Amino acid sequence: MMDGWRGVVTACVLFALGCVTAMPAIAADRDKLLNEPGVYGTFAAFRFDADWGKLDQATRIAHLTSFKGVVEQHREKLAIDTYLLRGLSDHADFLLRVHATELKDTQQFLVDLQNSPFGKHVTSVVVFNGLTKKANYVPGFSEQLKSDLKAPSESGPYAIVIPIRKDTEWWLLPQEKRAAMMQEHTEAALPYHKTVKRKLYHATGLDDFDFITYFETAKPEDFHSLVLALNKVKEARHNRRVGNPTLVGTVWSLDQLIEVLAQ
């Protein structure tokens, strides 16, 4: 009986979403936004209010359809990724990772989202802002290490976001000393390069942190081992704050996320 009801819910959600996507907007160049330097990355985590669970199924679907509409409206300028945090993070229910060439475009998207019928039932838990840049230290690495880093990393269903703040001493160190410690850091991380995908965002001046680190993996145990290995290198002594909060969730397409949230 329950499976039959879920089937009805799924059918209703898919029908509603189909109506929204009948005339899709021209999408932004996703590969460019995710891979080139000089792009803003924003992580926005949300929690549902107490009234969300009290809404009837049809109303929840209608509100989720408005959520879908806002996302589609902004895809022309933004690359938007969606994640389910519920069950793995106590901070929030879902996460949006947004890439944009203009930070104000991300701001407008999040404002429109919170002004939508769906947004009236969610509370912003945390927002991290960062900027992608060319690698600062990799050009000085050995040729073998640079070659090893070119090997592709595997994506996975698990996503982890960890903000990091460095101490003042780190920024006062000469460039060559920081470069040597980052080479040690990279060598310690290399055994997990294949199974843990990583992306770095520079956040100094844009947020209360210096870096936002984003990871994907199919093997959480490898990520666990990676963190233990990085805690042992000299550079880790300069981490004044790591996490608080750390966000852990799974990668879902927008339609998949909406289907789960409609239950």
Side-chain angles (χ1 to χ4, degrees):
M1 190 71 172
M2 182 61 70
D3 290 341
W5 173 242
R6 287 177 178 170
V8 171
V9 172
T10 299
C12 292
V13 172
L14 293 176
F15 175 77
L17 297 182
C19 293
V20 172
T21 57
M23 296 181 64
I26 298 174
D29 188 336
R30 178 178 172 82
D31 287 342
K32 182 177 181 180
L33 289 173
L34 264 65
N35 295 300
E36 291 194 357
V39 175
Y40 294 98
T42 296
F43 297 83
F46 297 89
R47 178 189 296 121
F48 284 106
D49 64 17
D51 291 334
W52 177 258
K54 300 175 184 178
L55 297 175
D56 61 78
Q57 199 80 54
T59 302
R60 284 207 298 273
I61 291 173
H63 289 344
L64 287 163
T65 302
S66 75
F67 172 33
K68 172 83 171 185
V70 174
V71 172
E72 293 300 332
Q73 176 188 344
H74 288 272
R75 282 202 190 277
E76 184 177 355
K77 294 182 178 180
L78 309 175
I80 303 169
D81 295 292
T82 51
Y83 307 81
L84 182 67
L85 302 185
R86 180 185 293 174
L88 293 180
S89 290
D90 62 356
H91 310 296
D93 292 299
F94 68 96
L95 169 72
L96 304 175
R97 181 175 65 144
V98 185
H99 290 85
T101 55
E102 296 284 349
L103 195 56
K104 62 182 178 65
D105 292 332
T106 298
Q107 180 186 36
Q108 188 61 58
F109 163 61
L110 294 176
V111 169
D112 289 348
L113 175 63
Q114 292 189 285
N115 286 337
S116 70
F118 173 78
K120 302 299 183 182
H121 288 281
V122 299
T123 301
S124 176
V125 175
V126 66
V127 178
F128 299 144
N129 294 300
L131 180 69
T132 59
K133 296 174 66 175
K134 291 183 178 180
N136 289 332
Y137 305 107
V138 173
F141 290 173
S142 68
E143 292 304 315
Q144 181 60 53
L145 185 54
K146 286 191 283 188
S147 176
D148 291 338
L149 291 174
K150 291 179 181 178
S153 299
E154 299 170 357
S155 299
Y158 299 100
I160 303 101
V161 181
I162 303 178
I164 297 174
R165 187 193 300 155
K166 295 291 189 182
D167 61 15
T168 302
E169 184 182 350
W170 172 259
W171 300 109
L172 294 177
L173 289 171
Q175 171 74 11
E176 60 271 18
K177 288 190 176 181
R178 279 188 278 125
M181 282 192 278
M182 288 309 301
Q183 176 159 331
E184 180 193 25
H185 170 112
T186 305
E187 290 169 345
L190 195 59
Y192 311 99
H193 178 74
K194 180 179 179 180
T195 57
V196 181
K197 189 175 183 178
R198 177 178 179 270
K199 189 172 180 65
L200 181 68
Y201 301 80
H202 297 254
T204 305
L206 298 174
D207 213 306
D208 193 33
F209 296 95
D210 291 308
F211 303 98
I212 310 298
T213 53
Y214 171 80
F215 303 89
E216 278 186 23
T217 184
K219 297 183 176 181
E221 64 273 22
D222 281 5
F223 178 75
H224 168 74
S225 297
L226 167 63
V227 173
L228 291 178
L230 293 180
N231 283 340
K232 297 176 182 178
V233 302
K234 297 182 182 68
E235 172 263 342
R237 302 171 189 170
H238 296 283
N239 290 335
R240 181 180 175 189
R241 181 177 171 188
V242 178
N244 297 320
T246 293
L247 302 174
V248 181
T250 46
V251 182
W252 294 68
S253 71
L254 178 59
D255 288 349
Q256 289 172 333
L257 179 64
I258 287 175
E259 185 179 335
V260 170
L261 298 180
Q263 302 296 328

